[in-house]
Amino acid sequence: MASQTVVASELPDLGEVSQTAFTAADEARVGSEIMRDIYADPKYYDDPELIEYLNNLGYRLVASSSENRRAFRFFVLKDPTLNAFALPGGFIGVHTGLIEAAQSESELAGVLGHEIAHVTQHHLARMIESQKQGIVPSLVALALAILAARSNPQMATAAIATVQAGTIQQQLNFSRDNEREADRIGMQIMSGAGFDPNAMSSFFERLQKDSRLYENNAPAYLRTHPLTSQRIADIQNRAANLPTKQVPDSLDFQLLRAKLKAQDGNADQAVKAANAALMEGRYNNVTAARYGLVAALLRDQQYSRAGQEMQKLRALNSTSPLIDALAARLKLASGDSAGALKLYRDARERFPGYRPLLYANADALLQARQGAAALKLVEAAITLYPDDYRLQLLLARGYAQQGKVFMSHKAQADAYFYQGQLDAAIEQLRLALKSKDGDFYQSSIAEARLKQWLAIEKPSKP
């Protein structure tokens, strides 16, 4: 085994390649083009709590990488298959199925570290550059074909057919050297961030073992990141040279996995599964198990029993904004708007920097027709996070409740812009200017912004 194992020092460093043809700006542009379509995809899972967690975990890993000042964005697709993938521009997608399958937070960190390494080592740029076709329209088509292969390999052939199928098919999977380098760099990243490096090999080894049961329908991650015994041996060897760490999972990791499981199947099945797990002791964390049961009961609209189970959850004295948010959602669903708003206020005092609580609090205020209070809350936050499209959408709703047509359309325009939907943003800004209820200063800013956006849009038009 040792003779077949390649140690880190023997691996080629593929990181620095010529960026003269495919620049960082090109990567960002192509990534944004793809994300525009992903945002509109029904599988895009716009769950603020999950996305907040994934980005916090992702940036903890990025901080220990060689490109720790580079912008990354982590997002989730509601898909039961085990998969994760990197896109140009630092966008990294994770399927909910992979999060549920990870048996520890270090395992999830290992997969993210691997995908971050694909970005920091410019593997995607090299893959596209190797086509020698120049930058131009084929880049987006190629990147979309790569995305199709990552998220749904069965659809890859159709996507590839639009962009020189014969040559691109050979480029869809990262090369063996790319994968080995991503393993090596990814393990350094996760270890530097404080996670157990052995978790990467344990997760990949389990995937490979399970794949034997799938025959020709192996997990998507294995089809796009082929595993071999040699590669797993390499990973194990590198882990052996790093200090072993006993790293406890964060409570939020356990809670969010329980939340995802509570969304599996139909509502009745989710309740039965959560009940059975508690009754039979099949859980790693009792707080997460009880959280999952409350979430399933809430989904099944069993509000009375959910309230009883929430009391048992609270009795465990575990602290997390996720628990407070679930309690507030339960109050809201039960018709206790005042109780929900109080819970949100109290929770935001305990967790002032946790934006999902702010979104939910503002939404609850809007539902209670307290638009002025919602606007006060959101306007204060948007000075810190001006490019947060969720805050912009909340602003749009708040202004609409108060009959401020210009401001509502302008906020909606900004929300579309930050989601990459430039055409929709321009249309909303035109509607704002037609409304005539903006003052001279507001209208002047909107007109200047419209000119700026039209200038951005024009080069992309055929």
Side-chain angles (χ1 to χ4, degrees):
M1 181 71 71
S3 63
Q4 296 177 344
T5 302
V6 181
V7 296
S9 61
E10 296 173 323
L11 285 171
D13 187 351
L14 306 174
E16 286 301 322
V17 298
S18 173
Q19 297 287 301
T20 56
F22 192 61
T23 66
D26 291 322
E27 283 196 60
R29 188 179 74 253
V30 171
S32 295
E33 288 279 343
I34 300 169
M35 289 305 299
R36 181 182 63 188
D37 293 328
I38 288 177
Y39 285 137
D41 192 309
K43 283 190 174 183
Y44 177 69
Y45 195 35
D46 193 14
D47 182 290
E49 293 174 343
L50 190 55
I51 292 173
E52 180 88 354
Y53 165 78
L54 201 62
N55 277 274
N56 286 339
L57 174 61
Y59 268 100
R60 177 178 167 183
L61 293 162
V62 169
S64 69
S65 77
S66 60
E67 297 195 8
N68 53 24
R69 294 189 179 183
R70 178 171 185 153
F72 282 78
R73 185 173 298 176
F74 301 83
F75 63 95
V76 184
L77 295 180
K78 184 71 170 175
D79 192 312
T81 60
L82 278 62
N83 210 358
F85 52 90
L87 298 174
F91 297 97
I92 293 177
V94 181
H95 287 197
T96 53
L98 187 137
I99 298 171
E100 289 190 57
Q103 293 182 359
S104 71
E105 194 166 28
S106 286
E107 288 191 351
L108 179 57
V111 174
L112 289 183
H114 180 98
E115 298 304 327
I116 289 168
H118 278 313
V119 175
T120 63
Q121 304 309 108
H122 309 290
H123 292 163
L124 283 161
R126 187 179 299 105
M127 184 190 301
I128 295 173
E129 168 62 14
S130 70
Q131 300 304 307
K132 300 297 182 186
Q133 296 169 9
I135 304 310
V136 280
S138 63
L139 285 179
V140 174
L142 171 57
L144 284 170
I146 294 168
L147 173 61
R150 293 285 179 271
S151 60
N152 191 341
Q154 289 84 0
M155 292 177 58
T157 303
I160 295 161
T162 65
V163 272
Q164 297 184 337
T167 57
I168 295 173
Q169 177 66 65
Q170 299 170 6
Q171 298 296 326
L172 284 173
N173 293 332
F174 290 117
S175 73
R176 187 173 299 178
D177 280 344
N178 287 159
E179 288 295 350
R180 288 163 59 205
E181 185 180 46
D183 291 337
R184 174 171 64 90
I185 301 298
M187 184 172 288
Q188 292 172 357
I189 288 171
M190 68 179 294
S191 180
F195 292 101
D196 180 10
N198 291 287
M200 178 184 283
S201 61
S202 67
F203 189 44
F204 286 171
E205 191 172 17
R206 196 168 68 251
L207 275 181
Q208 187 191 45
K209 188 179 298 182
D210 291 347
S211 71
R212 296 167 189 160
L213 304 176
Y214 287 85
E215 295 182 355
N216 295 325
N217 192 29
Y221 197 77
L222 296 191
R223 290 196 292 268
T224 56
H225 297 72
L227 279 171
T228 63
S229 298
Q230 166 96 36
R231 186 177 156 205
I232 289 177
D234 292 346
I235 297 171
Q236 290 172 336
N237 184 68
R238 284 190 285 275
N241 293 321
L242 293 169
T244 301
K245 302 174 183 178
Q246 295 296 322
V247 184
D249 296 333
S250 70
L251 178 58
D252 284 0
F253 169 75
Q254 296 285 1
L255 293 176
L256 285 167
R257 288 180 73 245
K259 178 179 180 176
L260 288 174
K261 289 181 186 299
Q263 296 298 317
D264 290 342
N266 61 44
D268 181 60
Q269 290 170 333
V271 170
K272 288 178 179 176
N275 263 325
L278 270 170
M279 294 291 292
E280 298 167 15
R282 291 185 287 103
Y283 51 80
N284 294 326
N285 183 291
V286 65
T287 298
R290 292 214 169 274
Y291 175 95
L293 177 57
V294 175
L297 289 166
L298 175 56
R299 180 186 172 199
D300 201 33
Q301 300 182 11
Q302 296 187 40
Y303 304 135
S304 177
R305 190 182 164 204
Q308 295 169 7
E309 294 296 336
M310 176 56 74
Q311 290 180 357
K312 295 177 185 177
L313 174 58
R314 291 288 202 187
L316 296 172
N317 294 318
S318 299
T319 303
S320 168
L322 292 164
I323 295 173
D324 289 341
L326 179 61
R329 287 198 297 273
L330 178 57
K331 288 279 188 185
L332 205 59
S334 303
D336 185 1
S337 177
L341 290 173
K342 183 180 186 308
L343 282 175
Y344 280 130
R345 283 195 304 271
D346 294 344
R348 283 196 304 105
E349 288 181 5
R350 284 193 295 275
F351 307 101
Y354 191 68
R355 268 188 276 179
L357 277 174
L358 189 150
Y359 304 143
N361 193 175
D363 179 67
L365 286 167
L366 289 168
Q367 289 185 49
R369 307 300 295 178
Q370 297 183 34
L375 282 174
K376 182 178 179 181
L377 183 64
V378 175
E379 286 173 340
I382 215 156
T383 58
L384 298 174
Y385 312 107
D387 59 350
D388 186 327
Y389 73 85
R390 292 188 188 86
L391 292 178
Q392 296 288 353
L393 289 172
L394 289 164
L395 269 187
R397 289 171 58 195
Y399 289 133
Q401 274 195 15
Q402 295 197 330
K404 297 180 178 180
V405 180
F406 174 91
M407 295 300 290
S408 179
H409 283 302
K410 179 183 174 298
Q412 187 72 53
D414 287 336
Y416 281 135
F417 179 77
Y418 293 125
Q419 285 182 294
Q421 305 289 342
L422 186 58
D423 289 345
I426 289 171
E427 178 62 23
Q428 286 294 319
L429 211 49
R430 283 173 169 156
L431 289 172
L433 290 167
K434 287 178 182 177
S435 70
K436 303 298 184 184
D437 69 338
D439 60 31
F440 175 79
Y441 177 71
Q442 293 168 337
S443 297
S444 297
I445 292 176
E447 287 171 354
R449 183 167 297 182
L450 180 59
K451 289 179 182 177
Q452 183 183 46
W453 288 355
L454 287 169
I456 296 171
E457 180 199 37
K458 189 174 181 180
S460 66
K461 294 294 184 183

